[in-house]
Amino acid sequence: MIAVGESTGALDAMLTKIADFYEEEVDQAVENLTALIEPFMIVFLGVVIGGLVVAMYLPIFKMAGALG
């Protein structure tokens, strides 16, 4: 593409087209990666928050069971 731009004398326009093409490609790759990682992040956060809830309430239930 650079050779075509040099031969036609429109190198700046050709480089702009190349930059736009690669920018769109990178944006699409980032979007795909984000869509792939998102479910794993949700599951991980659910497990962490669930573990915290169990860690907080389990001692309370054990004390209530020991008293009753």
Side-chain angles (χ1 to χ4, degrees):
M1 291 181 86
I2 292 174
V4 171
E6 287 178 345
S7 65
T8 60
L11 183 60
D12 56 342
M14 191 61 66
L15 289 175
T16 303
K17 286 183 183 180
I18 293 170
D20 291 341
F21 172 75
Y22 281 122
E23 185 177 355
E24 181 66 32
E25 191 173 309
V26 167
D27 288 342
Q28 186 65 37
V30 168
E31 185 177 319
N32 289 342
L33 186 62
T34 302
L36 187 69
I37 290 175
E38 187 175 348
F40 294 113
M41 287 178 57
I42 291 172
V43 168
F44 174 74
L45 287 174
V47 168
V48 168
I49 292 171
L52 287 172
V53 168
V54 168
M56 287 187 332
Y57 282 114
L58 194 59
I60 294 172
F61 289 144
K62 283 186 178 180
M63 277 195 318
L67 293 176

